[in-house]
Amino acid sequence: MNEEQLQQYVANNSQVETIFMGKSTDYLNGKNKKRQPAKRWNEAMIQRQAEKMYAQVVEDLYNKLHTQVKANRFTPAEKWIKFINENEVLDGLEESMIELEFE
């Protein structure tokens, strides 16, 4: 499994992406309002920044999982999915996203 496959799996099997994107967009909009009008980002830029932030979350998750699964990007997805399900990774990640606060 590679990062893109992991991201797709997370998106298809949890609310992690939805929760994170909502919170990060709200955070970025609030931060944007504090900028001087000439330096404010448009909605597309805010969306891109939120997507970059989410990509970093997935990358961090991938790096943590690949050491615990003792796998790499060539290891069959079934081994990754089995580990994710047995250890309730998505449930824990959803809870973390719900509690997440940006500063």
Side-chain angles (χ1 to χ4, degrees):
M1 181 177 273
N2 60 34
E3 282 183 43
E4 187 176 310
Q5 291 168 323
L6 178 61
Q7 184 172 357
Q8 190 63 45
Y9 182 79
V10 170
N12 291 339
N13 294 286
S14 73
Q15 295 297 311
V16 170
E17 183 175 11
T18 304
I19 295 166
F20 183 86
M21 291 300 288
K23 288 188 174 199
S24 62
T25 302
D26 290 346
Y27 166 74
L28 290 169
N29 279 323
K31 195 173 168 183
N32 199 38
K33 287 179 183 175
K34 295 176 184 175
R35 287 189 176 93
Q36 293 186 11
K39 295 188 178 193
R40 288 190 182 145
W41 292 345
N42 61 27
E43 285 300 313
M45 183 63 162
I46 289 173
Q47 187 65 30
R48 279 195 302 272
Q49 291 300 316
E51 288 169 0
K52 283 182 183 180
M53 292 167 67
Y54 181 68
Q56 186 63 52
V57 168
V58 173
E59 181 181 336
D60 292 346
L61 175 63
Y62 180 85
N63 290 333
K64 287 178 185 174
L65 285 177
H66 102 273
T67 58
Q68 293 180 357
V69 176
K70 295 179 177 61
N72 59 37
R73 59 189 175 117
F74 301 111
T75 304
E78 292 79 28
K79 184 173 180 181
W80 288 77
I81 293 168
K82 181 180 178 189
F83 181 87
I84 290 168
N85 290 335
E86 286 176 353
N87 293 286
E88 299 178 351
V89 172
L90 294 182
D91 292 339
L93 195 55
E94 276 185 2
E95 288 176 18
S96 295
M97 292 300 127
I98 290 169
E99 295 172 3
L100 179 66
E101 292 183 24
F102 292 98
E103 295 180 4

